[in-house]
Amino acid sequence: MTATPTATAVKEAAEGVGGGPVRFGTGLLRTTVHGGLWIREPGPLAPAGFHPLPTPLPETPPTPGVRLVHGEELPGGARAYRGLSGDESVAGHLLRHGPHPGLRPALHALGRALAALHTAPVPVPVPSGVPAPSTASRGWARLDAWLAGRAPEVWAAQAASVLRERLGAERWHRLRDWTAELAADPALVVSHGAPGLGSLVAAAPVSGPAADGPVELLAGEDLCLAPWYSDVGWAVGELTELAWQLSGDSRAWQSLVDAVEEGYGRSLGPLRPRLAALRIALHLHDYTAYVGWQPETVERFAGFLGYLTGFGGPTAPGDH
């Protein structure tokens, strides 16, 4: 069998690097970790490759204790992130240890990093052929297509059918309205696009309440233009989902949500449940499309989404 350009590039990038490799991923995204070298690539079922980085990159103010790592593009569309401080993401720490005070500094740093990125000047139209930030998030585009009945994956389409029946017409359309409002909001900032906890790397963040090591946010795959609350809501939505999935001390989970918003310097307020609902609905789509079909999983998600979509209807973008 002939190696693909991506496989060859990943192998060459990892030559001479110790620690690993550890490989994990889905049909959407695959990750290979060699100690402080992380290589991420679109999975075999990904509907689109990573967004090309704009040229030049937006200027972001220095943020003490946290840095954005854009990485480098490898042949075939993968990206290599070198010199990272850890070999496990904050998502991995949460899954293994649950909520812990030692994670607050990392999540506060995530909020600060997003706030700094959002102050970058929005690029004006550039000459043809020069990459600029996309005006659409890859993730929200997948969600919009799924809710509109355009999901190409059969199990994702089946999950949408079940979800729509369980939610009922009003709450289903509420999800669609919220997604459309986010996409139509003209107040755009330079955004990470998918600041998930799996993209946040911190050195030993669970060693104790005073832990405050270096934090890195991988940011080379989805850079785009979106409303400010898109990024913050993505991170808070993931914490909300993990709190629901893993349970544990609710005050500890809330403390981590607060850390993101405090680091960012602005609270989501009443937008929090709707953005959590959108992120969790997207995860349900991604799971059924790129991991597998589990009827009981769809039913569980439908129950939680029914709860989250009960927090009021659409509001005008100007209310944000």
Side-chain angles (χ1 to χ4, degrees):
M1 178 181 297
T2 302
T4 65
T6 301
T8 301
V10 169
K11 181 179 179 182
E12 290 177 352
E15 286 180 350
V17 179
V22 176
R23 297 185 176 90
F24 53 91
T26 68
L28 180 66
L29 175 68
R30 289 183 171 177
T31 302
T32 305
V33 178
H34 299 259
L37 168 65
W38 288 51
I39 300 174
R40 309 210 322 169
E41 58 188 295
L45 301 178
F50 296 152
H51 279 168
L53 287 182
T55 304
L57 287 173
E59 294 185 11
T60 303
T63 308
V66 57
R67 67 186 179 101
L68 294 173
V69 184
H70 295 294
E72 63 186 83
E73 184 173 355
L74 301 178
R79 295 200 72 80
Y81 305 88
R82 304 179 189 276
L84 301 182
S85 58
D87 58 4
E88 187 174 27
S89 69
V90 167
H93 283 288
L94 279 167
L95 289 170
R96 290 198 301 123
H97 300 284
H100 187 286
L103 286 169
R104 269 191 59 88
L107 291 164
H108 195 275
L110 170 61
R112 297 200 308 274
L114 294 177
L117 178 62
H118 291 179
T119 65
V122 175
V124 296
V126 295
S128 177
V130 178
S134 170
T135 54
S137 157
R138 291 191 311 153
W140 299 134
R142 292 197 304 276
L143 178 62
D144 180 63
W146 183 51
L147 295 175
R150 302 194 304 270
E153 299 83 7
V154 61
W155 290 126
Q158 177 67 13
S161 177
V162 173
L163 180 62
R164 181 168 184 159
E165 180 180 335
R166 299 297 183 270
L167 291 182
E170 182 179 354
R171 294 189 180 197
W172 171 264
H173 285 292
R174 190 170 288 170
L175 270 180
R176 292 199 60 183
D177 289 344
W178 290 346
T179 307
E181 282 186 23
L182 191 155
D185 192 336
L188 303 177
V189 298
V190 176
S191 299
H192 183 286
L197 304 178
S199 301
L200 188 64
V201 181
V206 295
S207 58
D212 195 7
V215 178
E216 290 115 0
L217 178 61
L218 311 186
E221 301 159 18
D222 290 273
L223 210 62
C224 64
L225 302 180
W228 72 270
Y229 50 85
S230 172
D231 275 352
V232 180
W234 188 289
V236 167
E238 288 198 357
L239 286 168
T240 303
E241 181 180 347
L242 285 171
W244 165 62
Q245 296 272 22
L246 302 177
S247 68
D249 187 344
S250 60
R251 292 170 301 180
W253 285 109
Q254 185 60 49
S255 174
L256 300 183
V257 169
D258 292 343
V260 176
E261 295 186 339
E262 290 167 7
Y264 188 80
R266 188 173 181 180
S267 170
L268 290 169
L271 286 174
R272 188 185 292 170
R274 74 161 58 181
L275 289 164
L278 294 181
R279 179 66 190 100
I280 292 167
L282 175 59
H283 189 200
L284 174 60
H285 164 267
D286 289 350
Y287 186 87
T288 52
Y290 310 122
V291 178
W293 170 253
Q294 292 182 343
E296 64 276 16
T297 297
V298 179
E299 294 289 350
R300 290 185 65 243
F301 271 73
F304 192 44
L305 285 169
Y307 167 74
L308 290 173
T309 51
F311 286 88
T315 60
D319 294 340
H320 301 155

